[in-house]
Amino acid sequence: MNIIRENFQKLTKEEQLSVDEQIIPFKGKSIMKQHMPNKPNRWGYKMLVLAGGKTGICYDFILYTGKGESPQYGFCTDIVLDLCETVSRLMNHKIYFDNYFTTIRLQVELK
């Protein structure tokens, strides 16, 4: 998975980017399996994804394995900041995310 992630990070990113969660369907037994009742595939592995806003191409992802040991700013803020590390600051990128990730601290850090 690290090789795949590194190759995704090398892709040229489009101007509008989106951070969201995604479920990889899985119905077997696993301690990492998550249940998200509002998603079309309710059971599976939870991925947090940085994707293109128009094309939907994945540029980076994090496999959710549970809450981190010591979050720096909070779980959701840390996830968005980790996914945006490879986004060039010299370009005029726009990052979109839903209310699950929205915190005041995240707004301050992204500014």
Side-chain angles (χ1 to χ4, degrees):
M1 286 186 65
N2 290 334
I3 294 170
I4 294 170
R5 185 174 182 213
E6 288 171 8
N7 287 330
F8 281 162
Q9 290 174 347
K10 292 177 186 175
L11 295 172
T12 304
K13 295 170 182 59
E14 58 190 87
E15 183 181 352
Q16 297 179 353
L17 301 169
S18 173
V19 175
D20 204 3
E21 51 196 9
Q22 177 180 353
I23 288 286
I24 297 172
F26 179 75
K27 292 189 180 185
K29 291 187 178 185
S30 173
I31 59 171
M32 293 183 1
K33 185 170 69 170
Q34 299 288 314
H35 179 252
M36 297 182 66
N38 295 334
K39 296 287 183 181
N41 297 311
R42 295 184 183 116
W43 292 96
Y45 296 115
K46 182 176 179 179
M47 300 285 285
L48 301 147
V49 179
L50 175 69
K54 292 183 180 180
T55 61
I57 294 173
C58 178
Y59 295 111
D60 198 359
F61 65 88
I62 297 173
L63 179 64
Y64 179 76
T65 57
K67 294 207 176 195
E69 295 173 7
S70 57
Q72 184 176 1
Y73 300 117
F75 173 72
C76 294
T77 301
D78 288 344
I79 290 294
V80 174
L81 293 177
D82 287 346
L83 289 171
C84 291
E85 281 181 355
T86 59
V87 176
S88 173
R89 297 185 190 278
L90 302 175
M91 304 290 285
N92 192 22
H93 290 289
K94 295 165 185 69
I95 310 289
Y96 298 94
F97 43 86
D98 59 11
N99 61 351
Y100 177 75
F101 297 101
T102 304
T103 62
I104 294 173
R105 184 64 189 185
L106 176 60
Q107 303 300 317
V108 170
E109 291 300 318
L110 288 176
K111 184 180 180 205

Short mmCIF file of all heavy atoms in Angstrom, two decimals, residues 18-79:
data_model
loop_
_atom_site.label_atom_id
_atom_site.label_comp_id
_atom_site.label_asym_id
_atom_site.label_seq_id
_atom_site.Cartn_x
_atom_site.Cartn_y
_atom_site.Cartn_z
N SER A 18 -10.71 17.47 -2.91
CA SER A 18 -11.73 17.12 -1.93
C SER A 18 -11.18 16.10 -0.95
O SER A 18 -10.50 15.15 -1.35
CB SER A 18 -12.94 16.54 -2.66
OG SER A 18 -13.88 16.05 -1.74
N VAL A 19 -11.46 16.29 0.33
CA VAL A 19 -11.11 15.31 1.36
C VAL A 19 -12.40 14.67 1.84
O VAL A 19 -13.35 15.36 2.21
CB VAL A 19 -10.39 16.00 2.55
CG1 VAL A 19 -10.14 15.01 3.67
CG2 VAL A 19 -9.09 16.62 2.09
N ASP A 20 -12.44 13.35 1.82
CA ASP A 20 -13.65 12.65 2.24
C ASP A 20 -13.29 11.24 2.70
O ASP A 20 -12.16 10.79 2.53
CB ASP A 20 -14.67 12.58 1.11
CG ASP A 20 -16.09 12.40 1.62
OD1 ASP A 20 -16.31 12.37 2.86
OD2 ASP A 20 -17.00 12.28 0.78
N GLU A 21 -14.25 10.57 3.27
CA GLU A 21 -14.06 9.19 3.71
C GLU A 21 -14.70 8.26 2.69
O GLU A 21 -15.65 8.63 2.00
CB GLU A 21 -14.66 8.98 5.09
CG GLU A 21 -16.06 9.45 5.21
CD GLU A 21 -16.53 9.61 6.64
OE1 GLU A 21 -15.73 9.51 7.56
OE2 GLU A 21 -17.73 9.84 6.80
N GLN A 22 -14.15 7.06 2.61
CA GLN A 22 -14.62 6.08 1.65
C GLN A 22 -14.53 4.71 2.30
O GLN A 22 -13.66 4.45 3.12
CB GLN A 22 -13.72 6.14 0.42
CG GLN A 22 -14.02 5.14 -0.65
CD GLN A 22 -13.07 5.28 -1.83
OE1 GLN A 22 -12.28 6.21 -1.92
NE2 GLN A 22 -13.14 4.35 -2.73
N ILE A 23 -15.46 3.83 1.93
CA ILE A 23 -15.45 2.46 2.45
C ILE A 23 -15.03 1.52 1.33
O ILE A 23 -15.56 1.56 0.23
CB ILE A 23 -16.85 2.06 2.96
CG1 ILE A 23 -17.18 2.78 4.26
CG2 ILE A 23 -16.97 0.57 3.16
CD1 ILE A 23 -16.44 2.29 5.47
N ILE A 24 -14.06 0.66 1.63
CA ILE A 24 -13.70 -0.43 0.73
C ILE A 24 -14.48 -1.64 1.23
O ILE A 24 -14.24 -2.12 2.34
CB ILE A 24 -12.19 -0.71 0.77
CG1 ILE A 24 -11.44 0.53 0.27
CG2 ILE A 24 -11.86 -1.93 -0.08
CD1 ILE A 24 -9.95 0.43 0.44
N PRO A 25 -15.45 -2.13 0.46
CA PRO A 25 -16.34 -3.19 0.95
C PRO A 25 -15.57 -4.43 1.40
O PRO A 25 -14.68 -4.91 0.70
CB PRO A 25 -17.22 -3.51 -0.25
CG PRO A 25 -17.12 -2.33 -1.14
CD PRO A 25 -15.78 -1.74 -0.91
N PHE A 26 -15.93 -4.94 2.58
CA PHE A 26 -15.33 -6.16 3.12
C PHE A 26 -16.31 -6.74 4.13
O PHE A 26 -16.74 -6.04 5.05
CB PHE A 26 -13.99 -5.84 3.78
CG PHE A 26 -13.32 -7.04 4.37
CD1 PHE A 26 -12.71 -7.97 3.56
CD2 PHE A 26 -13.30 -7.24 5.74
CE1 PHE A 26 -12.09 -9.09 4.10
CE2 PHE A 26 -12.68 -8.34 6.29
CZ PHE A 26 -12.07 -9.27 5.47
N LYS A 27 -16.65 -8.01 3.97
CA LYS A 27 -17.62 -8.62 4.88
C LYS A 27 -17.01 -9.71 5.75
O LYS A 27 -17.69 -10.30 6.55
CB LYS A 27 -18.79 -9.19 4.09
CG LYS A 27 -19.62 -8.11 3.44
CD LYS A 27 -20.88 -8.64 2.84
CE LYS A 27 -21.66 -7.48 2.22
NZ LYS A 27 -22.94 -7.88 1.72
N GLY A 28 -15.72 -9.96 5.59
CA GLY A 28 -15.04 -10.98 6.40
C GLY A 28 -14.78 -10.48 7.81
O GLY A 28 -15.24 -9.41 8.22
N LYS A 29 -14.00 -11.25 8.56
CA LYS A 29 -13.66 -10.87 9.92
C LYS A 29 -12.34 -10.12 9.93
O LYS A 29 -11.36 -10.57 9.36
CB LYS A 29 -13.56 -12.11 10.80
CG LYS A 29 -14.89 -12.78 11.02
CD LYS A 29 -14.77 -13.89 12.01
CE LYS A 29 -16.15 -14.51 12.23
NZ LYS A 29 -16.13 -15.51 13.26
N SER A 30 -12.33 -8.98 10.58
CA SER A 30 -11.14 -8.16 10.70
C SER A 30 -11.36 -7.16 11.83
O SER A 30 -12.46 -6.62 11.97
CB SER A 30 -10.85 -7.42 9.40
OG SER A 30 -9.79 -6.51 9.57
N ILE A 31 -10.31 -6.88 12.59
CA ILE A 31 -10.45 -5.90 13.66
C ILE A 31 -10.46 -4.47 13.12
O ILE A 31 -10.86 -3.55 13.81
CB ILE A 31 -9.33 -6.05 14.71
CG1 ILE A 31 -7.95 -5.89 14.06
CG2 ILE A 31 -9.44 -7.37 15.44
CD1 ILE A 31 -6.81 -5.82 15.06
N MET A 32 -10.04 -4.30 11.86
CA MET A 32 -10.03 -2.96 11.26
C MET A 32 -11.33 -2.64 10.52
O MET A 32 -11.50 -1.53 10.03
CB MET A 32 -8.85 -2.83 10.29
CG MET A 32 -7.53 -2.85 10.99
SD MET A 32 -6.06 -2.62 9.98
CE MET A 32 -6.60 -2.39 8.36
N LYS A 33 -12.25 -3.58 10.44
CA LYS A 33 -13.50 -3.36 9.71
C LYS A 33 -14.35 -2.33 10.44
O LYS A 33 -14.47 -2.34 11.66
CB LYS A 33 -14.25 -4.69 9.59
CG LYS A 33 -15.50 -4.61 8.75
CD LYS A 33 -16.05 -5.97 8.46
CE LYS A 33 -16.61 -6.58 9.71
NZ LYS A 33 -17.38 -7.79 9.47
N GLN A 34 -14.93 -1.40 9.67
CA GLN A 34 -15.76 -0.33 10.20
C GLN A 34 -17.19 -0.47 9.71
O GLN A 34 -17.43 -1.05 8.65
CB GLN A 34 -15.21 1.03 9.74
CG GLN A 34 -13.82 1.32 10.19
CD GLN A 34 -13.74 1.61 11.66
OE1 GLN A 34 -14.54 2.39 12.17
NE2 GLN A 34 -12.80 0.99 12.33
N HIS A 35 -18.12 0.08 10.46
CA HIS A 35 -19.52 0.12 10.06
C HIS A 35 -19.93 1.57 9.90
O HIS A 35 -19.82 2.37 10.83
CB HIS A 35 -20.40 -0.56 11.10
CG HIS A 35 -21.85 -0.52 10.73
ND1 HIS A 35 -22.75 0.28 11.37
CD2 HIS A 35 -22.55 -1.18 9.77
CE1 HIS A 35 -23.96 0.12 10.82
NE2 HIS A 35 -23.85 -0.76 9.86
N MET A 36 -20.39 1.93 8.70
CA MET A 36 -20.87 3.28 8.42
C MET A 36 -22.26 3.14 7.80
O MET A 36 -22.38 2.90 6.60
CB MET A 36 -19.91 4.01 7.50
CG MET A 36 -18.55 4.19 8.15
SD MET A 36 -17.40 5.09 7.13
CE MET A 36 -18.16 6.68 7.06
N PRO A 37 -23.31 3.30 8.58
CA PRO A 37 -24.67 3.03 8.10
C PRO A 37 -25.15 3.94 6.99
O PRO A 37 -26.06 3.57 6.24
CB PRO A 37 -25.53 3.20 9.35
CG PRO A 37 -24.72 4.00 10.29
CD PRO A 37 -23.28 3.74 9.97
N ASN A 38 -24.57 5.12 6.82
CA ASN A 38 -25.05 6.05 5.80
C ASN A 38 -24.38 5.87 4.44
O ASN A 38 -24.70 6.58 3.50
CB ASN A 38 -24.85 7.50 6.26
CG ASN A 38 -25.69 7.82 7.47
OD1 ASN A 38 -26.73 7.20 7.69
ND2 ASN A 38 -25.25 8.75 8.27
N LYS A 39 -23.45 4.95 4.34
CA LYS A 39 -22.74 4.70 3.07
C LYS A 39 -23.42 3.55 2.33
O LYS A 39 -24.06 2.69 2.94
CB LYS A 39 -21.27 4.33 3.34
CG LYS A 39 -20.46 5.43 3.98
CD LYS A 39 -20.17 6.51 3.00
CE LYS A 39 -19.29 7.59 3.64
NZ LYS A 39 -18.99 8.67 2.78
N PRO A 40 -23.30 3.51 0.99
CA PRO A 40 -23.90 2.40 0.22
C PRO A 40 -23.36 1.04 0.62
O PRO A 40 -24.11 0.07 0.73
CB PRO A 40 -23.53 2.73 -1.23
CG PRO A 40 -23.21 4.17 -1.25
CD PRO A 40 -22.71 4.51 0.12
N ASN A 41 -22.04 0.94 0.85
CA ASN A 41 -21.43 -0.27 1.38
C ASN A 41 -21.17 -0.02 2.86
O ASN A 41 -20.26 0.73 3.21
CB ASN A 41 -20.12 -0.59 0.65
CG ASN A 41 -20.36 -0.88 -0.80
OD1 ASN A 41 -21.21 -1.66 -1.16
ND2 ASN A 41 -19.61 -0.20 -1.66
N ARG A 42 -21.97 -0.63 3.71
CA ARG A 42 -21.94 -0.28 5.14
C ARG A 42 -20.74 -0.85 5.89
O ARG A 42 -20.29 -0.26 6.86
CB ARG A 42 -23.22 -0.76 5.79
CG ARG A 42 -24.43 -0.04 5.26
CD ARG A 42 -25.68 -0.47 5.99
NE ARG A 42 -26.81 0.21 5.39
CZ ARG A 42 -27.78 -0.42 4.77
NH1 ARG A 42 -27.78 -1.73 4.67
NH2 ARG A 42 -28.76 0.26 4.23
N TRP A 43 -20.24 -2.01 5.48
CA TRP A 43 -19.16 -2.67 6.20
C TRP A 43 -17.91 -2.71 5.34
O TRP A 43 -17.97 -3.02 4.16
CB TRP A 43 -19.55 -4.10 6.56
CG TRP A 43 -20.64 -4.15 7.58
CD1 TRP A 43 -21.97 -4.28 7.34
CD2 TRP A 43 -20.49 -4.05 8.98
NE1 TRP A 43 -22.66 -4.27 8.52
CE2 TRP A 43 -21.77 -4.15 9.56
CE3 TRP A 43 -19.40 -3.92 9.84
CZ2 TRP A 43 -21.99 -4.10 10.93
CZ3 TRP A 43 -19.62 -3.87 11.20
CH2 TRP A 43 -20.90 -3.97 11.73
N GLY A 44 -16.77 -2.42 5.94
CA GLY A 44 -15.52 -2.52 5.20
C GLY A 44 -14.42 -1.72 5.85
O GLY A 44 -14.51 -1.29 7.00
N TYR A 45 -13.36 -1.52 5.09
CA TYR A 45 -12.22 -0.74 5.55
C TYR A 45 -12.45 0.73 5.23
O TYR A 45 -12.82 1.08 4.13
CB TYR A 45 -10.93 -1.21 4.87
CG TYR A 45 -10.57 -2.63 5.23
CD1 TYR A 45 -10.58 -3.62 4.27
CD2 TYR A 45 -10.23 -2.97 6.52
CE1 TYR A 45 -10.25 -4.92 4.59
CE2 TYR A 45 -9.90 -4.27 6.86
CZ TYR A 45 -9.91 -5.24 5.88
OH TYR A 45 -9.59 -6.52 6.21
N LYS A 46 -12.20 1.58 6.21
CA LYS A 46 -12.43 3.01 6.04
C LYS A 46 -11.14 3.67 5.55
O LYS A 46 -10.08 3.49 6.15
CB LYS A 46 -12.85 3.63 7.37
CG LYS A 46 -13.17 5.09 7.32
CD LYS A 46 -13.66 5.54 8.68
CE LYS A 46 -13.97 7.00 8.71
NZ LYS A 46 -14.47 7.42 10.03
N MET A 47 -11.26 4.40 4.45
CA MET A 47 -10.14 5.15 3.89
C MET A 47 -10.50 6.63 3.94
O MET A 47 -11.64 7.00 3.68
CB MET A 47 -9.90 4.75 2.43
CG MET A 47 -9.56 3.31 2.21
SD MET A 47 -7.91 2.89 2.68
CE MET A 47 -7.02 3.61 1.36
N LEU A 48 -9.52 7.45 4.26
CA LEU A 48 -9.67 8.89 4.18
C LEU A 48 -8.88 9.32 2.97
O LEU A 48 -7.70 9.02 2.85
CB LEU A 48 -9.18 9.52 5.47
CG LEU A 48 -9.98 8.98 6.66
CD1 LEU A 48 -9.13 8.90 7.89
CD2 LEU A 48 -11.21 9.80 6.87
N VAL A 49 -9.54 9.99 2.02
CA VAL A 49 -9.00 10.17 0.68
C VAL A 49 -8.91 11.66 0.31
O VAL A 49 -9.82 12.43 0.60
CB VAL A 49 -9.90 9.45 -0.35
CG1 VAL A 49 -9.39 9.63 -1.75
CG2 VAL A 49 -10.03 7.98 -0.01
N LEU A 50 -7.80 12.02 -0.35
CA LEU A 50 -7.67 13.31 -1.01
C LEU A 50 -7.84 13.04 -2.49
O LEU A 50 -7.05 12.33 -3.10
CB LEU A 50 -6.29 13.93 -0.76
CG LEU A 50 -5.99 15.23 -1.49
CD1 LEU A 50 -6.85 16.37 -0.93
CD2 LEU A 50 -4.52 15.59 -1.40
N ALA A 51 -8.91 13.57 -3.07
CA ALA A 51 -9.24 13.27 -4.47
C ALA A 51 -9.48 14.55 -5.24
O ALA A 51 -9.73 15.61 -4.66
CB ALA A 51 -10.49 12.39 -4.53
N GLY A 52 -9.42 14.44 -6.56
CA GLY A 52 -9.71 15.57 -7.44
C GLY A 52 -11.18 15.92 -7.36
O GLY A 52 -12.04 15.03 -7.37
N GLY A 53 -11.49 17.20 -7.29
CA GLY A 53 -12.87 17.65 -7.18
C GLY A 53 -13.69 17.38 -8.42
O GLY A 53 -14.88 17.10 -8.34
N LYS A 54 -13.08 17.44 -9.59
CA LYS A 54 -13.81 17.22 -10.83
C LYS A 54 -13.64 15.80 -11.35
O LYS A 54 -14.59 15.17 -11.78
CB LYS A 54 -13.36 18.22 -11.90
CG LYS A 54 -13.75 19.64 -11.58
CD LYS A 54 -13.35 20.59 -12.68
CE LYS A 54 -13.75 22.02 -12.32
NZ LYS A 54 -13.37 22.95 -13.36
N THR A 55 -12.41 15.31 -11.34
CA THR A 55 -12.13 13.99 -11.94
C THR A 55 -12.34 12.84 -10.97
O THR A 55 -12.62 11.73 -11.39
CB THR A 55 -10.68 13.93 -12.44
OG1 THR A 55 -9.79 14.11 -11.34
CG2 THR A 55 -10.42 14.97 -13.50
N GLY A 56 -12.18 13.09 -9.67
CA GLY A 56 -12.31 12.02 -8.69
C GLY A 56 -11.07 11.15 -8.57
O GLY A 56 -11.10 10.13 -7.88
N ILE A 57 -9.97 11.55 -9.21
CA ILE A 57 -8.73 10.79 -9.12
C ILE A 57 -8.17 10.90 -7.71
O ILE A 57 -8.10 11.98 -7.14
CB ILE A 57 -7.69 11.33 -10.14
CG1 ILE A 57 -8.18 11.07 -11.56
CG2 ILE A 57 -6.33 10.69 -9.92
CD1 ILE A 57 -7.30 11.70 -12.62
N CYS A 58 -7.74 9.78 -7.15
CA CYS A 58 -7.17 9.74 -5.81
C CYS A 58 -5.73 10.22 -5.86
O CYS A 58 -4.92 9.70 -6.63
CB CYS A 58 -7.25 8.33 -5.25
SG CYS A 58 -6.53 8.17 -3.61
N TYR A 59 -5.40 11.22 -5.05
CA TYR A 59 -4.03 11.74 -4.98
C TYR A 59 -3.31 11.31 -3.72
O TYR A 59 -2.09 11.35 -3.66
CB TYR A 59 -4.03 13.26 -5.07
CG TYR A 59 -4.53 13.77 -6.38
CD1 TYR A 59 -5.74 14.44 -6.49
CD2 TYR A 59 -3.79 13.58 -7.55
CE1 TYR A 59 -6.20 14.91 -7.70
CE2 TYR A 59 -4.25 14.05 -8.77
CZ TYR A 59 -5.45 14.71 -8.83
OH TYR A 59 -5.90 15.17 -10.04
N ASP A 60 -4.03 10.94 -2.69
CA ASP A 60 -3.44 10.47 -1.44
C ASP A 60 -4.54 9.80 -0.62
O ASP A 60 -5.72 10.08 -0.81
CB ASP A 60 -2.83 11.63 -0.66
CG ASP A 60 -1.83 11.18 0.39
OD1 ASP A 60 -1.61 9.96 0.54
OD2 ASP A 60 -1.25 12.05 1.07
N PHE A 61 -4.15 8.92 0.28
CA PHE A 61 -5.13 8.25 1.14
C PHE A 61 -4.47 7.83 2.44
O PHE A 61 -3.25 7.70 2.53
CB PHE A 61 -5.75 7.04 0.43
CG PHE A 61 -4.77 5.95 0.13
CD1 PHE A 61 -4.50 4.96 1.06
CD2 PHE A 61 -4.11 5.90 -1.09
CE1 PHE A 61 -3.59 3.96 0.78
CE2 PHE A 61 -3.21 4.90 -1.38
CZ PHE A 61 -2.94 3.92 -0.43
N ILE A 62 -5.31 7.64 3.45
CA ILE A 62 -4.88 7.12 4.74
C ILE A 62 -5.86 6.02 5.13
O ILE A 62 -7.08 6.25 5.12
CB ILE A 62 -4.86 8.22 5.82
CG1 ILE A 62 -3.85 9.31 5.46
CG2 ILE A 62 -4.57 7.63 7.19
CD1 ILE A 62 -3.88 10.51 6.38
N LEU A 63 -5.35 4.86 5.46
CA LEU A 63 -6.18 3.76 5.92
C LEU A 63 -6.48 3.99 7.40
O LEU A 63 -5.57 4.12 8.21
CB LEU A 63 -5.49 2.42 5.72
CG LEU A 63 -6.23 1.18 6.19
CD1 LEU A 63 -7.51 0.99 5.38
CD2 LEU A 63 -5.36 -0.05 6.06
N TYR A 64 -7.76 4.06 7.74
CA TYR A 64 -8.16 4.31 9.13
C TYR A 64 -7.97 3.04 9.95
O TYR A 64 -8.55 2.00 9.64
CB TYR A 64 -9.62 4.76 9.18
CG TYR A 64 -10.13 5.02 10.57
CD1 TYR A 64 -9.77 6.18 11.25
CD2 TYR A 64 -10.97 4.12 11.20
CE1 TYR A 64 -10.23 6.43 12.51
CE2 TYR A 64 -11.44 4.37 12.48
CZ TYR A 64 -11.07 5.51 13.12
OH TYR A 64 -11.53 5.76 14.39
N THR A 65 -7.14 3.13 10.98
CA THR A 65 -6.89 1.98 11.85
C THR A 65 -7.32 2.25 13.28
O THR A 65 -6.99 1.48 14.17
CB THR A 65 -5.39 1.61 11.83
OG1 THR A 65 -4.64 2.75 12.23
CG2 THR A 65 -4.97 1.15 10.45
N GLY A 66 -8.00 3.31 13.50
CA GLY A 66 -8.42 3.71 14.84
C GLY A 66 -7.86 5.09 15.14
O GLY A 66 -6.99 5.58 14.44
N LYS A 67 -8.34 5.68 16.19
CA LYS A 67 -7.86 7.02 16.53
C LYS A 67 -6.39 6.97 16.91
O LYS A 67 -5.93 6.02 17.53
CB LYS A 67 -8.69 7.59 17.67
CG LYS A 67 -10.12 7.83 17.25
CD LYS A 67 -10.73 8.92 18.03
CE LYS A 67 -12.13 9.15 17.47
NZ LYS A 67 -12.69 10.37 17.88
N GLY A 68 -5.67 8.01 16.51
CA GLY A 68 -4.24 8.08 16.80
C GLY A 68 -3.95 8.17 18.28
O GLY A 68 -4.81 8.50 19.09
N GLU A 69 -2.71 7.89 18.63
CA GLU A 69 -2.32 7.89 20.04
C GLU A 69 -2.34 9.29 20.65
O GLU A 69 -2.86 9.50 21.72
CB GLU A 69 -0.93 7.28 20.18
CG GLU A 69 -0.90 5.81 19.80
CD GLU A 69 0.51 5.27 19.77
OE1 GLU A 69 1.45 6.00 20.17
OE2 GLU A 69 0.67 4.13 19.37
N SER A 70 -1.73 10.24 19.96
CA SER A 70 -1.69 11.60 20.51
C SER A 70 -1.91 12.61 19.38
O SER A 70 -0.98 13.09 18.75
CB SER A 70 -0.34 11.87 21.18
OG SER A 70 0.70 11.67 20.25
N PRO A 71 -3.17 12.92 19.09
CA PRO A 71 -3.44 13.88 18.02
C PRO A 71 -2.90 15.26 18.38
O PRO A 71 -3.01 15.70 19.52
CB PRO A 71 -4.96 13.88 17.91
CG PRO A 71 -5.46 13.32 19.18
CD PRO A 71 -4.38 12.45 19.74
N GLN A 72 -2.31 15.92 17.40
CA GLN A 72 -1.73 17.23 17.64
C GLN A 72 -2.81 18.30 17.74
O GLN A 72 -2.81 19.10 18.66
CB GLN A 72 -0.74 17.57 16.53
CG GLN A 72 -0.01 18.86 16.74
CD GLN A 72 1.03 19.12 15.68
OE1 GLN A 72 1.18 18.34 14.75
NE2 GLN A 72 1.74 20.21 15.81
N TYR A 73 -3.73 18.33 16.77
CA TYR A 73 -4.79 19.34 16.75
C TYR A 73 -6.18 18.74 16.93
O TYR A 73 -7.14 19.45 17.03
CB TYR A 73 -4.77 20.10 15.42
CG TYR A 73 -3.48 20.82 15.15
CD1 TYR A 73 -2.69 20.48 14.06
CD2 TYR A 73 -3.06 21.85 15.97
CE1 TYR A 73 -1.52 21.15 13.80
CE2 TYR A 73 -1.87 22.52 15.72
CZ TYR A 73 -1.10 22.16 14.63
OH TYR A 73 0.06 22.81 14.38
N GLY A 74 -6.29 17.45 16.91
CA GLY A 74 -7.58 16.76 16.90
C GLY A 74 -7.61 15.82 15.72
O GLY A 74 -6.92 16.05 14.71
N PHE A 75 -8.37 14.76 15.80
CA PHE A 75 -8.35 13.70 14.79
C PHE A 75 -8.64 14.22 13.39
O PHE A 75 -7.86 14.03 12.46
CB PHE A 75 -9.34 12.60 15.17
CG PHE A 75 -9.50 11.56 14.11
CD1 PHE A 75 -8.50 10.66 13.85
CD2 PHE A 75 -10.66 11.51 13.34
CE1 PHE A 75 -8.63 9.71 12.85
CE2 PHE A 75 -10.81 10.56 12.35
CZ PHE A 75 -9.79 9.66 12.11
N CYS A 76 -9.76 14.91 13.22
CA CYS A 76 -10.17 15.36 11.87
C CYS A 76 -9.22 16.40 11.31
O CYS A 76 -8.87 16.35 10.12
CB CYS A 76 -11.59 15.91 11.93
SG CYS A 76 -12.81 14.65 12.32
N THR A 77 -8.76 17.31 12.12
CA THR A 77 -7.81 18.33 11.67
C THR A 77 -6.50 17.68 11.24
O THR A 77 -5.96 18.02 10.19
CB THR A 77 -7.56 19.35 12.79
OG1 THR A 77 -8.80 19.95 13.15
CG2 THR A 77 -6.59 20.43 12.36
N ASP A 78 -6.00 16.74 12.02
CA ASP A 78 -4.76 16.06 11.68
C ASP A 78 -4.87 15.28 10.38
O ASP A 78 -3.94 15.25 9.58
CB ASP A 78 -4.33 15.11 12.81
CG ASP A 78 -3.81 15.86 14.03
OD1 ASP A 78 -3.50 17.06 13.90
OD2 ASP A 78 -3.71 15.24 15.10
N ILE A 79 -6.02 14.65 10.14
CA ILE A 79 -6.22 13.88 8.91
C ILE A 79 -6.15 14.80 7.69
O ILE A 79 -5.43 14.52 6.72
CB ILE A 79 -7.58 13.14 8.93
CG1 ILE A 79 -7.56 12.01 9.94
CG2 ILE A 79 -7.97 12.63 7.55
CD1 ILE A 79 -6.61 10.88 9.60
#
